[in-house]
Every structure is written in structure tokens, then in C-alpha cells.
């Protein structure tokens, strides 16, 4: 519960102070709670492993297989007011679901615990397999999870292990250190007990008392663990947070927060929370996902944290702590890490397939001032021959921070402005945040108030917090009815001045409340169904993202794929659009930390992500900006953005040489759009991310396990940024036994070793893996839309066997017709001096078709022995020339690689090209 509202004058002064300067908004450690200031975290961390304290020594009894095939049990202890009900279910191929809640039939409390809705896919329950009757010997019950995995339940004290069926080796274990605690809901507050919690000037009434959950999870066979975004770090692997050798003992925090100018190295929570962790070691990959939207704190425990019992090599222990909720957890086991990701995606959903334009370059600033500014920026891209696809407008485009409106003094003709941009194949994006200005003349506010659609405060009144418009309230996005209402606001009738080429950006949806505790909504605020905000906080932005994406889907009558960028995320956010890493700063450390951040998001389902190019806060030095473009051109989401107090930094403002370098980086991205779009299709079907850690492609290579500086784009391209000012050389590790070819000049490099390379200002180190084929489009246009009918180039990098393969996916780039079969999916295979195009599209998806007249005009073959002068195209027995050509069409490129000229075979057809 917050203190009484401030007088209007003081509130206005507070808002003006917040708006005045970015320095006033900088991250201040004492404004956010640490574990010692968070009672549930502090309590959980004080418990000792294998303690005999009453709440921890739960006993499993009454094990039985239910009629629907799940294993049920009762967890009890004499000190508890009611037992816990456990349910185990199996999901194909190698997943276990563990659900634990209180038995409300006994000593019933006035409220029940919150189960997070609308995150898991609807069919998850129906996919569950029927478990066989467990075999119980000596207080231990065993049941088969799959043909090669067992689940073992120890009765007293309760412990659960997923193990290999043949060897008996454990893979994942739950409560093997006896740290499971499930604070029971109270029927009433015991006399003399205090439930309130205070932090700074805020008081949390906690009317339902303590209700936290904590437990230990062990990853066996793991060298490192990864995941649980969102945090900033230059390390890809999660560091130990507690135990021997750990100096600063603070757990990883999952609590969605609006953090200004966040630190580049910190376990504190940022804008999103995905409670999914992956463990990996040679020959072993596993994952653990806890579906819980309350604040969470997670310790990665150093070897020896519990004394003599932590001596097993290749095991990482973790402690998971949440303020509220239930246990609804998934254990995933795979033969390789991609299997684990696929299983996680099978329950939370695959990433949405983006429109083609969204994969290209985006230009944003807080704020482009008016229509003249928009037109000037748009024209300058053309003048400097730099492609871009999307121009963005921040909060200043609105009428007084009222979303779904326009400031008619600066944007008097929004439809005409969008039409002029669209005439060049480009799009626009406007911002729509969740805080609604409390203004009696604002139709959104009037409607929400009349319908009772706002989140309530602890007293039952519409919650009133402060954000960009000043006094604001927040729609209760937990309620599906309110989400539908919000979605309707995106119709052309309701959003005056919007057009079919206008898309949406959700910011501040943690939700951010300037005068709230930790700059967010109070935990004792009330949502639909009498749910406290503490129970769903981390999912609020997810529901807002969902409602916005549904709004754009409705607007387009279900035919147009939405594009919505969100800052706040939760498990499942990948189904609704892109995200970015928030308010970063213009320094080299933030550039470096962007790589592990984007990689971690990809591992946890959020493949469509990126960091602001050049950073949101501060003025990047020109060389830093160039390096950021060179790295950022590989991000899945490629957008430049900046704070309104920074100097203008469009790519043409730093002199001809640097303009050329940034132009080259952006053009490189555009040439690779066919490859990126193909990877996004793969992600939308399997969940395997577009931008990947090296170990995802080389899971047995230990040298890759904690490499957070280099990354893969798909299976074929490896890149490593330059992260230091004035860097003269860089060491790049190229994994595997095959060669790697420099993307710029085709020079071969040996795999399995580190190479010390001289740094060039022209580009960052980037390579194509031997044995792969990468599709490109090398004609540069104003936007990706204007490239649709352009011919393709195939770059073939031969391995030691003289072979290679790759894929190309093509559809209309905008609609859902691909779901009914309207796409082209080809596999290119080069072997025995012959390139073959094979149709790999399934023929049972639907009746719609997609075709294109696009042809392949160049085939570059890296690693081909010199001397070949011609190739034969079949069918048709057509002879075409082979001569030396450049790897890229950039100015000054030398002719170094054998190139098949103008075979002009259609990408839609079957054909072969044989090197004579």
C-alpha cells in the first residue's frame, strides 16, 4: 500500500524532475531491493541443506496413478496446517511436469494460490502420456518417463530425480539437498505477528501473509548453466552467486523492472523474467522451467557450497526462491541442447514468424520531432544510399502522452506521412504504453473507468500511479475481456490516423510506475479474480504484449502478421513479437554485454531480440558507433535508438569514411536477409534461435562453453565483435575440424584453434563454416520490399569432403498463407562437383500456393580447386561460364573465388548444376 497521494503541485514537480535529465534516472543500487531486504529471499538463504526443520522434512505418501495417467502423491508433515498435493505427468519425448499446490479441502484459507494462465500452449495437458504404475522398493518409487529415462521419488524425506534408465545416472534432481519449503497460506493472521514489509517510503500490506516457495534443483553432468534472463553480463554462462570463492553474494533476480542506465555486469533483474535454465556438458543437456510470475531469486551454488556433499564433478546445484505462486515446473532432458530448447518451446510456444520488413533495419529516436523531421530523415537515407525499412516515433508524437492519438501541431497529417513512407516500401512504428492518462476528456480513460477495467489498489480504488503522462492508471491485462477491449483500440476506426503500414511498440510495460516501489506497481494491488499483483507481476507485460499483438491481428482481419516490440517479457513472449534489451549506455562494456544478453534470450525462446545500436543513453564515440553497427547488423532485431538528450546520430553525421562503414554494415545485413528469413522460419517451427552460442552448434567442444564474445548466426556464420577502443588485434576461436572462410575475402582458416587476427576498421571478424551454403541477395535497394523480385546469390563453402548444404525459405513475407502451404522451401546440396536443388516443403499443409520468378544469378564456390571453366545446368543441358569473382559486391573487392555466372535457374524448381 502506498502513502496517501501527493499534492498535485508536488506530483507535478516530481514528474518534471524525472523528465529533466537522464542523470536523474541513472541506476541507483539503493533504489532496488537486494536479497537481505527481501524477506522471502533472506529466509530461504538462511536454511541449511538437509535440515531437519519441520517445514523442510516433507514425506511423500499415497502414491497412485490417476485416471488420466498422472502420478499423484500427498506431501505432509505434522506441523503443516494442510498437506500438499503433488502431481507428476510425462510429456513426449523426454519431459516431466511437476505440480504442487496446497490441499484446500482441509483448514481452508480465505484465498487460493495463483496459477499463471494463458502461458502454456492449450494442448499441453492433452499431450501428457499415461504413466505406468510405480515400482516401490524400500521407500523409493520408480516410474518410467520414456524408454531411456526414469523418475525416482524418494518418500522420506521427499526427493525427486530424473535419471538414465540404463545406467541409473541422474540428470536432474529436485530437493536432493532438502531445501524445499512451501510456506502455507494462513486462515488468519496469528496474534502478534507482523505481515507488513517496508522498503524506503513504501509499505506492502501483505494481507495474505508469507506464502513463498523455495527448493533446490541440481543439474548433473553440467559444466555450466545458462538462461534465466534478463540480466546484463559479459559472461554467457551463469556465475556462481554463493559459496566458496564468491565475493559478492547476491542471487540472480527475476523481477521486471524499469532500470535506467543499467550496469553492464549485475545479477539484478531488468525488464523481463524467464524462469528457464539450461544445463550443459559433454553428452548431457537438460533444462528446468518454473511457471511462476511472482518475484523470483535464483542462486547458482559454487562447488563446496554445502560442505562435503558437493564433491560430484559435473554437477551444478541451484536454489530457486519465489515470493508466491505454486510449483508448476518442467524438467527437460535431451541428447543435445537443441533438444532441450525444442521441448521448452513445445510447452510455451514457438516464436512468431515475422514479416520480412521486420528482419531488416529500423531507425528510431526519442523523438523525431514532426512530419518535416520524418521526411528529412527518410530522404537522407536515400541521399546517402543507405537502406532502411522502418521509421519509429516515440511518446512525443502523441497528444499529451495520450496513446492512440497524434499531436496535431507536429503531426497534422499522419496518414499522408505514412503513405509517403510506404511508397518506398517502408513502414512506421508508434509507441503505445500501458499507463493511461487520467484525463476526463480522454476517451480511453473514460471508457476504462466506466467499465471498471483498471487494476485496483489495496483499498479497492482504481490504482493511480505516475508515468510519462503524469497521473495514470493501468488496464488489468490479466482479464481476457480487458485484453479484447484493448485489442479493439487498434482498429482504424478507433486509432485515428493509423494505416495498414503502421505497427506498434510497447514500452514501460513491466509495468513502470515512477512513484511506485522500485519504480513499479505495488505488490498489494489487486487484479481480476482477487489476484495480488505480487503473484503475476512478471507476466503483466506479457499480457499487454499479447493484447497488442491481438489488436494488430484483428485490425488486419487475421491476414497480416503483427509486428509488436515489447520491453517486458515472460515465458511465451516469443509468440507475440520482438523484444529489445532496454536502456543501455554508450560504452564499450555495454556493446560487449549485448552479445550474452541476446544469446541468452535466444536460448530461452526469445529469438527476435537485439540491443539499441549506439545505445539509448549517452553519445557514443564515432568508432564505438561504427563497431556497434558492425556487431548489431548480426542481431536478430536490428534497430538504432537514442535518448532525446543525446546528439543526433543518424549514420551520415560522422564523416564520409564512417558513413561508408555504417552503410557497409547495413548493406551486409540486407544481403543476408534471405538467410535470416530462412532462420526465422526454422525458429518458428523448432524454437532453435537465429543467433546462437557456439556450443549450440558444437555441443561437445568445451572451448565454446563460456564464449560470450563470438556467436553463430544459424549453423553457417560465425562472428565476433570488437569490444575495445583502439583494439589492434583479436583472438578468435573457430570450433570444429573443418575450415572457416572469411566472409569478406574467402580466405580459409583452420578449425579447432584460436587465430590472432589483425583488426580492420572495415568489419568485424566473420566467417562461413565449411560444409554450408548461404543464400544472399546482392542488389541494394531502398528497402527490403523493393528487393522481393531480385535474383539470389548462393555462397557454397566446401568442406574437406568437397560437399556442402544449406536451405532457402521464401513466402510472401507478410501474410499467414504460409500456414496453408504457400511457401517455397528448398535444400541445396553440393556433392561430387554437382549442386542439386531439392523441394523439402511438406505437401499436406493446405491448398494455397506461392510462386516466384526469382532466379539464382551467381553461385560462389569457396574451396573449389581452380581450373573449372564451365558448368552444365539440367534440365536443358545448358552450359554456363565459371570464372573468378568477388565474394561480395562491395567497392574494391578482388576476384578470388570460382563463380558460376548467370545459371538463371528458378528457386522454385528442381535442377542440378554440374561443374564440368
Amino acid at each position: 500500500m502506498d502513502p496517501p497521494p501527493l499534492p498535485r503541485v508536488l506530483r507535478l514537480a516530481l514528474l518534471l524532475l524525472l523528465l529533466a535529465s537522464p542523470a536523474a534516472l541513472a541506476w541507483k543500487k539503493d533504489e532496488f531491493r537486494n536479497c537481505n531486504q527481501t524477506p522471502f529471499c533472506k529466509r530461504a538463504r538462511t536454511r541449511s541443506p538437509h535440515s531437519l526443520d519441520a517445514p523442510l522434512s516433507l514425506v511423500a505418501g499415497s502414491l497412485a496413478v490417476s485416471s488420466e495417467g498422472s502420478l499423484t502423491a500427498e506431501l505432509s508433515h505434522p506441523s503443516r496446517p494442510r498437506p500438499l498435493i503433488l502431481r507428476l505427468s510425462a510429456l513426449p519425448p523426454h519431459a516431466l511436469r511437476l505440480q504442487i499446490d496446497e490441499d484446500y479441502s482441509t483448514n481452508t484459507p480465505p484465498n487460493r494460490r495463483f496459477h499463471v494462465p494463458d502461458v502454456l500452449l492449450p494442448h499441453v495437458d492433452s499431450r501428457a502420456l499415461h504413466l505406468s504404475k510405480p515400482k516401490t522398493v524400500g521407500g523409493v518409487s520408480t516410474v518410467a518417463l520414456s524408454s531411456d529415462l526414469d523418475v525416482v521419488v524418494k518418500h522420506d524425506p521427499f526427493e525427486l530425480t530424473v535419471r538414465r534408465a540404463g545406467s541409473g545416472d541422474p540428470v536432474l534432481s529436485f530437493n536432493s539437498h532438502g531445501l524445499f519449503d512451501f510456506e502455507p497460506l494462513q486462515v488468519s493472521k496469528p496474534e502478534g505477528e507482523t505481515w507488513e514489509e517496508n522498503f524506503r517510503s513504501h509499505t506492502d500490506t501483505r494481507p495474505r501473509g508469507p506464502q513463498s516457495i523455495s527448493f533446490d534443483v541440481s543439474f548433473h553432468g553440467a559444466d555450466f548453466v545458462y538462461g534465466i534472463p534478463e540480466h546484463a553480463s559479459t559472461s554467457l554462462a551463469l556465475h556462481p552467486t554463493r559459496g566458496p570463492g564468491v565475493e559478492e553474494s547476491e542471487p540472480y533476480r527475476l523481477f521486471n523492472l524499469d532500470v535506467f542506465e543499467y550496469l553492464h555486469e549485475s545479477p539484478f533483474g531488468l525488464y523481463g523474467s524467464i524462469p528457464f535454465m539450461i544445463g550443459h556438458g559433454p553428452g548431457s543437456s537438460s533444462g528446468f522451467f518454473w511457471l511462476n510470475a511472482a518475484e523470483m531469486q535464483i542462486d547458482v551454488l559454487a562447488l563446496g557450497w554445502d560442505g562435503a556433499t558437493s564433491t560430484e564433478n559435473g554437477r551444478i546445484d541451484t536454489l530457486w526462491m519465489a515470493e508466491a505462486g505454486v510449483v508448476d515446473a518442467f524438467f527437460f532432458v535431451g541428447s543435445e541442447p537443441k533438444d532441450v530448447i525444442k521441448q521448452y518451446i513445445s510447452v510455451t510456444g514457438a516464436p512468431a514468424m515475422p514479416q520480412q520488413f521486420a528482419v531488416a533495419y529500423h531507425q528510431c529516436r526519442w523523438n523525431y520531432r514532426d512530419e518535416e523531421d520524418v521526411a528529412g530523415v527518410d530522404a537522407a537515407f536515400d541521399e546517402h544510399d543507405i537502406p532502411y525499412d522502418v521509421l519509429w516515433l516515440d511518446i512525443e508524437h502523441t497528444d499529451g502522452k495520450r496513446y492512440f492519438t497524434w499531436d496535431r501541431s507536429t503531426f497534422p497529417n499522419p496518414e499522408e506521412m505514412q503513405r509517403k513512407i510506404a511508397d518506398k516500401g517502408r513502414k512506421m512504428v508508434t509507441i503505445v504504453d500501458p499507463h493511461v492518462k487520467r484525463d476526463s476528456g480522454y476517451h480511453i480513460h473514460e471508457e476504462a473507468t466506466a467499465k471498471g477495467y483498471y487494476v485496483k489498489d489495496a483499498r479497492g480504488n482504481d490504482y493511480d500511479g505516475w508515468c510519462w503522462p503524469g497521473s495514470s492508471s493501468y488496464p488489468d491485462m490479466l482479464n481476457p475481456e480487458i485484453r479484447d477491449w484493448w485489442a479493439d483500440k487498434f482498429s482504424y476506426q478507433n486509432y485515428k490516423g493509423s494505416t495498414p503500414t503502421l505497427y506498434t511498440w510497447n514500452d514501460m510495460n513491466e509495468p513502470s510506475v515512477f512513484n511506485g516501489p522500485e519504480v513499479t506497481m505495488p505488490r498489494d494491488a489487486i487484479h481480476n479474480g482477487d489476484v495480488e499483483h505480487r503473484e503475476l507481476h512478471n507476466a503483466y507485460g506479457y499480457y499487454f504484449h499479447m493484447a497488442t499483438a491481438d489488436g494488430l491481428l484483428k485490425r488486419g482481419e487475421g491476414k497480416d502478421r503483427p509486428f509488436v516490440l515489447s520491453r517486458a517479457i515472460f515465458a511465451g513472449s516469443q509468440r507475440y513479437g520482438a523484444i529489445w534489451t532496454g536502456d543501455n549506455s554508450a560504452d564499450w562494456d555495454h556493446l560487449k554485454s549485448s552479445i550474452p544478453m541476446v544469446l541468452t534470450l535466444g536460448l530461452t525462446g526469445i529469438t527476435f531480440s537485439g540491443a539499441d545500436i549506439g545505445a539509448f543513453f549517452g553519445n557514443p564515440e564515432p568508432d564505438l558507433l561504427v563497431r556497434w553497427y558492425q556487431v548489431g547488423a548480426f542481431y536478430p532485431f536490428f534497430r538504432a535508438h537514442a535518448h532525446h538528450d543525446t546528439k543526433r546520430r543518424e549514420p551520415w553525421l560522422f564523416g564520409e569514411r564512417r558513413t561508408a562503414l555504417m552503410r557497409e554494415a547495413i548493406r551486409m545485413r540486407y544481403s543476408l536477409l534471405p538467410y535470416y528469413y530462412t532462420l526465422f522460419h526454422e525458429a518458428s517451427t523448432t524454437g532453435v534461435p537465429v543467433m546462437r552460442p557456439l556450443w549450440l552448434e558444437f555441443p561437445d567442444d568445451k572451448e565454446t562453453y563460456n564464449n560470450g564474445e563470438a556467436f553463430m548466426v544459424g549453423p553457417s556464420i560465425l562472428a565476433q565483435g570488437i569490444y575495445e577502443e583502439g583494439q589492434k588485434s583479436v583472438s578468435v576461436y573457430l570450433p570444429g575440424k573443418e575450415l572457416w572462410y572469411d566472409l569478406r575475402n574467402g580466405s580459409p582458416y583452420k578449425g579447432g584453434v584460436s587465430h590472432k587476427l589483425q583488426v580492420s576498421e572495415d568489419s568485424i571478424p566473420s566467417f562461413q563454416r565449411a560444409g554450408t551454403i548461404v543464400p544472399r541477395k546482392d542488389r541494394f535497394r531502398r528497402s527490403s520490399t523493393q528487393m522481393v523480385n531480385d535474383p539470389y546469390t548462393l555462397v557454397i563453402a566446401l568442406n574437406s569432403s568437397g560437399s556442402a548444404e544449406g536451405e532457402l525459405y521464401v513466402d510472401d513475407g507478410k501474410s499467414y498463407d504460409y500456414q496453408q502451404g504457400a511457401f517455397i522451401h528448398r535444400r541445396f546440396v553440393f556433392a561430387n562437383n554437382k549442386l542439386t536443388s531439392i523441394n523439402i516443403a511438406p505437401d499436406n499443409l493446405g491448398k494455397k500456393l506461392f510462386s516466384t520468378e526469382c532466379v539464382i544469378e551467381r553461385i560462389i564456390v569457396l574451396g573449389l580447386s581452380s581450373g573449372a571453366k564451365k558448368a552444365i545446368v539440367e534440365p536443358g543441358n545448358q552450359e554456363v561460364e565459371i570464372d573468378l569473382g568477388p565474394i561480395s559486391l562491395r567497392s574494391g573487392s578482388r576476384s578470388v573465388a570460382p563463380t558460376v555466372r548467370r545459371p538463371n535457374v528458378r528457386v522454385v524448381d528442381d535442377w542440378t548444376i554440374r561443374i564440368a
Side-chain angles (χ1 to χ4, degrees):
M1 181 173 67
D2 284 329
L6 293 170
R8 181 176 178 81
V9 173
L10 291 179
R11 298 173 87 180
L12 181 59
L14 171 65
L15 182 63
L16 291 174
L17 176 63
L18 288 167
L19 298 178
S21 73
L25 302 177
W27 191 85
K28 295 181 176 64
K29 189 174 182 179
D30 62 353
E31 293 182 356
F32 300 94
R33 302 204 305 183
N34 59 35
C35 181
N36 282 333
Q37 296 167 316
T38 307
F40 81 85
C41 182
K42 187 176 181 179
R43 289 195 301 273
R45 272 186 143 201
T46 59
R47 297 180 186 119
S48 301
H50 302 291
S51 169
L52 298 180
D53 293 346
L56 305 179
S57 301
L58 292 166
V59 177
S62 304
L63 273 72
V65 176
S66 67
S67 58
E68 67 268 17
S70 59
L71 180 67
T72 61
E74 185 179 276
L75 303 179
S76 61
H77 189 277
S79 67
R80 295 188 63 86
R82 67 191 68 86
L84 301 174
I85 301 300
L86 174 148
R87 181 173 180 256
L88 290 174
S89 50
L91 297 170
H94 303 293
L96 175 72
R97 185 179 187 183
L98 168 66
Q99 295 168 281
I100 303 176
D101 195 359
E102 300 190 61
D103 182 355
Y104 298 107
S105 65
T106 304
N107 199 14
T108 306
N111 302 96
R112 296 196 174 194
R113 291 174 175 267
F114 179 62
H115 293 243
V116 184
D118 304 319
V119 169
L120 300 181
L121 293 177
H123 65 263
V124 168
D125 286 333
S126 64
R127 287 177 52 226
L129 304 175
H130 199 289
L131 290 172
S132 58
K133 184 178 180 180
K135 298 177 181 178
T136 302
V137 178
V140 176
S141 297
T142 305
V143 62
L145 176 61
S146 64
S147 60
D148 53 355
L149 291 172
D150 289 335
V151 180
V152 179
V153 179
K154 182 181 176 183
H155 296 195
D156 186 9
F158 165 65
E159 180 183 341
L160 184 149
T161 303
V162 179
R163 72 181 188 189
R164 309 281 181 191
S167 64
D169 294 336
V171 182
L172 289 160
S173 56
F174 179 96
N175 200 36
S176 59
H177 295 279
L179 294 178
F180 179 36
D181 186 26
F182 201 112
E183 294 182 323
L185 290 174
Q186 301 293 324
V187 174
S188 60
K189 183 165 68 172
E191 186 175 350
E193 190 169 310
T194 300
W195 284 355
E196 288 185 350
E197 292 181 1
N198 298 302
F199 179 70
R200 294 171 68 87
S201 64
H202 299 277
T203 297
D204 176 7
T205 60
R206 288 213 312 162
R208 299 170 191 180
Q211 51 184 300
S212 71
I213 303 171
S214 56
F215 49 76
D216 57 275
V217 174
S218 295
F219 295 79
H220 301 263
D223 286 10
F224 292 98
V225 287
Y226 312 86
I228 57 170
E230 188 176 26
H231 310 92
S233 177
T234 56
S235 170
L236 176 60
L238 296 169
H239 289 304
T241 58
R242 196 171 137 212
V246 179
E247 295 180 3
E248 293 188 21
S249 181
E250 193 65 34
Y252 288 99
R253 188 183 190 194
L254 294 184
F255 191 64
N256 292 10
L257 293 168
D258 180 1
V259 185
F260 304 100
E261 294 186 276
Y262 56 81
L263 300 178
H264 74 276
E265 195 79 64
S266 173
F268 284 95
L270 292 179
Y271 312 95
S273 301
I274 302 180
F276 173 45
M277 185 180 287
I278 296 175
H280 180 66
S284 179
S285 295
S286 58
F288 178 78
F289 166 50
W290 186 6
L291 177 57
N292 189 324
E295 179 184 356
M296 204 176 287
Q297 304 262 6
I298 302 170
D299 269 321
V300 177
L301 302 166
L303 189 67
W305 69 278
D306 63 343
T309 61
S310 262
T311 57
E312 178 189 332
N313 289 326
R315 187 191 80 207
I316 296 178
D317 299 324
T318 59
L319 174 63
W320 297 64
M321 304 162 273
E323 184 182 14
V326 297
V327 176
D328 192 355
F330 294 79
F331 302 77
F332 306 113
V333 179
S335 59
E336 63 173 13
K338 289 181 183 178
D339 293 336
V340 174
I341 294 171
K342 290 174 183 177
Q343 290 183 65
Y344 169 74
I345 290 299
S346 75
V347 299
T348 63
M353 183 65 186
Q355 290 201 41
Q356 175 80 59
F357 80 83
V359 184
Y361 175 62
H362 301 245
Q363 183 67 36
C364 184
R365 180 175 177 81
W366 179 22
N367 203 83
Y368 288 119
R369 299 181 300 269
D370 50 32
E371 291 179 4
E372 183 180 358
D373 197 6
V374 166
V377 170
D378 179 67
F381 271 96
D382 297 337
E383 179 185 344
H384 294 89
D385 207 16
I386 301 173
Y388 90 100
D389 267 63
V390 193
L391 194 66
W392 293 54
L393 297 178
D394 211 317
I395 55 178
E396 309 304 333
H397 83 278
T398 63
D399 176 13
K401 314 300 188 297
R402 300 170 183 87
Y403 301 108
F404 304 103
T405 70
W406 302 84
D407 183 341
R408 293 293 175 170
S409 66
T410 52
F411 295 92
N413 302 295
E415 286 130 316
E416 182 181 354
M417 174 184 66
Q418 294 164 62
R419 180 186 57 76
K420 289 178 179 178
I421 296 290
D423 285 346
K424 299 177 182 179
R426 293 167 176 157
K427 312 292 190 293
M428 294 192 72
V429 166
T430 52
I431 196 166
V432 178
D433 292 348
H435 46 262
V436 176
K437 185 170 185 172
R438 294 184 60 84
D439 180 347
S440 59
Y442 180 29
H443 67 283
I444 302 286
H445 172 64
E446 289 179 333
E447 221 179 304
T449 302
K451 292 177 179 288
Y453 280 176
Y454 285 136
V455 177
K456 308 302 180 187
D457 63 22
R459 303 178 187 90
N461 303 315
D462 288 349
Y463 174 68
D464 183 352
W466 275 68
C467 207
W468 297 126
S471 179
S472 305
S473 288
Y474 297 73
D476 184 2
M477 292 298 171
L478 176 63
N479 189 335
E481 177 185 326
I482 299 174
R483 293 201 299 267
D484 287 343
W485 169 80
W486 187 260
D488 288 338
K489 302 308 169 194
F490 291 89
S491 70
Y492 302 122
Q493 180 181 359
N494 288 326
Y495 190 176
K496 305 294 185 184
S498 65
T499 72
T501 59
L502 184 69
Y503 295 89
T504 307
W505 172 17
N506 290 161
D507 195 5
M508 316 297 284
N509 54 334
E510 293 75 27
S512 176
V513 183
F514 291 160
N515 64 332
E518 301 189 275
V519 201
T520 192
M521 187 175 285
R523 297 164 192 252
D524 55 6
I526 299 297
H527 292 261
N528 180 58
D530 201 29
V531 176
E532 284 193 297
H533 185 71
R534 79 181 74 252
E535 300 175 277
L536 65 83
H537 171 79
N538 287 342
Y540 181 87
Y542 163 81
Y543 294 124
F544 187 71
H545 195 188
M546 177 197 297
T548 303
D550 286 347
L552 294 188
L553 193 62
K554 280 185 177 182
R555 183 190 77 174
E557 298 178 341
K559 300 174 183 177
D560 189 42
R561 297 177 220 164
F563 173 76
V564 183
L565 179 74
S566 175
R567 189 169 71 176
I569 54 168
F570 188 64
S573 289
Q574 66 269 12
R575 305 203 300 268
Y576 301 106
I579 77 108
W580 89 108
T581 61
D583 298 344
N584 54 355
S585 298
D587 61 56
W588 291 90
D589 286 333
H590 270 256
L591 170 61
K592 185 176 183 180
S593 67
S594 72
I595 300 304
M597 291 179 78
V598 172
L599 291 174
T600 297
L601 288 164
L603 289 172
T604 56
I606 313 292
T607 191
F608 201 3
S609 70
D612 284 342
I613 306 299
F616 181 65
F617 283 114
N619 296 303
E621 293 296 321
D623 289 345
L624 171 58
L625 184 61
V626 168
R627 291 303 190 194
W628 216 313
Y629 269 96
Q630 291 171 344
V631 171
F634 288 103
Y635 294 155
F637 177 59
F638 183 25
R639 182 187 75 153
H641 185 36
H643 190 279
H644 64 66
D645 283 345
T646 64
K647 298 175 183 177
R648 295 291 285 257
R649 62 167 89 137
E650 286 76 21
W652 51 85
L653 297 177
F654 299 88
E656 290 186 11
R657 177 57 183 159
R658 293 190 177 98
T659 295
L661 294 173
M662 288 184 270
R663 178 193 299 118
E664 176 64 23
I666 295 170
R667 283 183 169 183
M668 183 274 294
R669 171 56 168 254
Y670 274 76
S671 73
L672 289 173
L673 284 179
Y675 180 60
Y676 270 82
Y677 199 66
T678 300
L679 294 175
F680 271 102
H681 171 258
E682 178 189 10
S684 74
T685 55
T686 68
V688 177
V690 171
M691 185 168 154
R692 310 169 182 178
L694 271 58
W695 56 264
L696 205 62
E697 290 297 321
F698 300 91
D700 295 325
D701 189 341
K702 289 192 172 188
E703 292 294 319
T704 68
Y705 286 0
N706 196 23
N707 187 334
E709 297 186 4
F711 53 90
M712 299 291 296
V713 177
S716 307
I717 292 176
L718 182 150
Q720 180 166 319
I722 301 300
Y723 307 116
E724 296 178 16
E725 184 177 5
Q727 194 169 350
K728 303 299 182 183
S729 64
V730 61
S731 178
V732 180
Y733 178 71
L734 298 176
K737 299 178 181 179
E738 297 287 349
L739 293 175
W740 295 81
Y741 296 91
D742 190 295
L743 274 190
R744 301 290 174 163
N745 57 35
S747 298
Y749 290 85
K750 185 179 179 182
V753 297
S754 294
H755 297 267
K756 186 176 182 180
L757 306 175
Q758 295 303 304
V759 169
S760 163
E761 69 170 358
D762 292 358
S763 62
I764 61 172
S766 49
F767 307 86
Q768 183 172 340
R769 181 182 180 182
T772 65
I773 299 176
V774 171
R776 300 190 326 210
K777 284 195 174 186
D778 289 343
R779 296 186 184 180
F780 301 116
R781 309 288 189 182
R782 290 177 172 181
S783 66
S784 66
T785 305
Q786 297 185 347
M787 297 168 61
V788 167
N789 296 317
D790 286 348
Y792 290 86
T793 293
L794 297 182
V795 183
I796 302 174
L798 298 181
N799 61 18
S800 56
S801 301
S803 61
E805 66 176 62
E807 294 182 11
L808 173 66
Y809 173 87
V810 188
D811 61 25
D812 66 13
K814 55 188 178 182
S815 78
Y816 286 99
D817 287 354
Y818 72 93
Q819 295 179 344
Q820 300 178 57
F823 63 87
I824 298 165
H825 197 183
R826 311 295 300 187
R827 175 171 291 133
F828 304 116
V829 178
F830 188 96
N832 302 316
N833 277 351
K834 184 172 68 174
L835 175 64
T836 304
S837 176
I838 305 165
N839 177 29
I840 57 173
D843 55 9
N844 59 348
L845 286 180
K847 297 181 179 180
K848 291 195 174 183
L849 299 175
F850 174 77
S851 189
T852 176
E853 294 302 313
C854 287
V855 300
I856 294 172
E857 70 170 350
R858 288 199 312 154
I859 301 171
I860 301 168
V861 189
L862 303 174
L864 184 68
S865 57
S866 59
K869 296 299 182 183
K870 64 180 181 178
I872 307 299
V873 179
E874 297 288 357
N877 196 31
Q878 173 192 357
E879 185 176 299
V880 293
E881 294 180 352
I882 299 178
D883 57 20
L884 291 181
I887 304 300
S888 71
L889 298 182
R890 62 190 300 218
S891 176
S893 297
R894 294 184 299 113
S895 296
V896 295
T899 302
V900 180
R901 303 278 189 182
R902 292 181 291 277
N904 293 334
V905 287
R906 298 200 315 162
V907 295
V908 73
D909 294 335
D910 293 340
W911 43 260
T912 61
I913 299 176
R914 179 171 53 84
I915 306 296

